[in-house]
Amino acid sequence: MRVAIVGAGVIGLTSALALKETFPKYQVTIFSTVFTPNTTGDGSAGLWGPFLLGDTPKEDIFKWAGKTHRLFENFWRTGLAKETGLCLVPITRVTSENDTNETPWFKLVYGIHSLTTDELKKLNEEHKSNYVNGWHFVTYTCEPTRFLPWLTNKFLALGGELKRRTIRDLGELIDDGYEIVINCSGLGARELVNDDTVTAVRGQVSRVKAPWVMHSFLVDDNNCYYVIPNTNTVVLGGTHQEGDYDLKVREKDTKFIYEGCHRILPSLKKAEILRSWVGLRPGRPKVRLEAEILESRTNGKKCHVIHNYGHGGAGLTLSWGCALDVVEIVRSIDRNGIQHSKL
């Protein structure tokens, strides 16, 4: 079986690795114009946590995020933390929105407990804010600058292939003889498969040198400030500007980020500023993970296409869970030759 994967971000790489591990005899090739360290994912902090997922069903988020969390837990327990860029990080997450809806993924993190009224009052006084809910818990960061090369190397060691090529129509791959195509094109799906529900969610962050910061702080509301320690730097954020395709660093956003993060942690004023960066998240009303039959417009050949994109700000968080669902769809195709499958 010849399988083509379009996209070399964390969604494409995890799908590729999961397929090669499950079907070692398959010929699996990743096509992309960019590879790590130049993907959008390479600029992110790598924090595990569902974010900007629109109306994606909570049960799907819980399933996909949970499988990725268990993968990271296995890395931690088997001594792979350093090479995969994995760390355990204590987190304080607060919100100024009085959202009483159940958050199922809270069950996946370690040691979660709600902040008391006194703790929230103290934070509000310190941060000059109006938080109404807050939680402490421990979860993982998996830094893409290490995780993506690790995935790439594992995939290549199993016999996978990488090809630098811009795919403008999935029919090209049918014409090339691929029997299954996995569409992990992220924001590129807007043009590749004419999905106008996919839009950019612009994210600007700054990296600073602040080795004394060992605790992550997230403000989960419209301001969306966050402080996330990585191995050698601390990521300060951020923005989530929908429909904004500007990749240039904006001074007003930099000021917004610094002022907000300095209120959260005043010692950051002493941090050495390393760089600012902008990435475009692949926003969509909900994650698209489904299969269809595609016919080439040039020769009439048919091919199974599995779409796996639209992960918003949670590509890393959902990646392995979605990859395992891709494997199950491919298993059904391999076993039954089904004409349509959806998960």
Side-chain angles (χ1 to χ4, degrees), residues 46-51 65 69 72 87-95 103-116 119 123 133-141 214-220 225-229 317:
L47 178 68
W48 182 98
F51 182 55
H69 194 272
F72 292 167
C87 291
L88 269 175
V89 180
I91 291 177
T92 299
R93 177 179 179 263
V94 295
T95 178
T103 306
W105 63 263
F106 276 2
K107 299 174 184 177
L108 299 170
V109 299
Y110 306 124
I112 190 166
H113 64 275
S114 297
L115 299 182
T116 65
E119 288 172 324
L123 284 177
N133 284 312
W135 302 265
H136 284 311
F137 56 91
V138 176
T139 190
Y140 296 102
T141 54
M214 306 294 288
H215 190 109
S216 183
F217 198 97
L218 311 175
V219 182
D220 191 6
Y225 297 120
Y226 51 83
V227 178
I228 304 174
T317 302

Side-chain angles (χ1 to χ4, degrees), residues 22-34:
T22 307
F23 306 103
K25 293 184 179 179
Y26 279 16
Q27 179 186 333
V28 182
T29 305
I30 299 176
F31 293 89
S32 182
T33 53
V34 295

Side-chain angles (χ1 to χ4, degrees), residues 197-308:
T197 69
V198 179
T199 57
V201 182
R202 182 179 180 274
Q204 180 171 319
V205 300
S206 292
R207 285 187 181 267
V208 300
K209 191 173 183 179
W212 60 89
V213 178
M214 306 294 288
H215 190 109
S216 183
F217 198 97
L218 311 175
V219 182
D220 191 6
D221 59 18
N222 286 334
N223 285 333
C224 197
Y225 297 120
Y226 51 83
V227 178
I228 304 174
N230 276 183
T231 305
N232 298 314
T233 62
V234 176
V235 179
L236 308 182
T239 67
H240 55 291
Q241 297 147 331
E242 295 186 17
D244 191 333
Y245 290 78
D246 184 10
L247 285 168
K248 295 180 181 178
V249 172
R250 298 175 186 162
E251 185 57 36
K252 67 176 182 178
D253 289 335
T254 302
K255 182 180 179 183
F256 166 81
I257 291 167
Y258 286 150
E259 288 180 350
C261 292
H262 290 171
R263 283 198 304 273
I264 291 170
L265 193 61
S267 66
L268 286 170
K269 294 178 181 179
K270 303 176 184 178
E272 177 187 351
I273 299 170
L274 300 175
R275 68 185 179 101
S276 294
W277 174 86
V278 175
L280 303 180
R281 308 176 183 97
R284 195 174 187 272
K286 66 177 184 178
V287 174
R288 186 182 187 190
L289 180 45
E290 62 182 358
E292 64 177 352
I293 297 294
L294 185 67
E295 184 175 324
S296 170
R297 290 192 291 267
T298 59
N299 58 25
K301 288 183 180 179
K302 294 182 178 180
C303 172
H304 292 273
V305 174
I306 302 170
H307 300 286
N308 184 16

Side-chain angles (χ1 to χ4, degrees), residues 150-166:
W150 183 87
L151 289 169
T152 301
N153 291 334
K154 288 280 289 184
F155 173 66
L156 292 173
L158 291 173
E161 294 182 279
L162 306 178
K163 290 190 177 181
R164 193 177 302 274
R165 173 177 159 188
T166 300

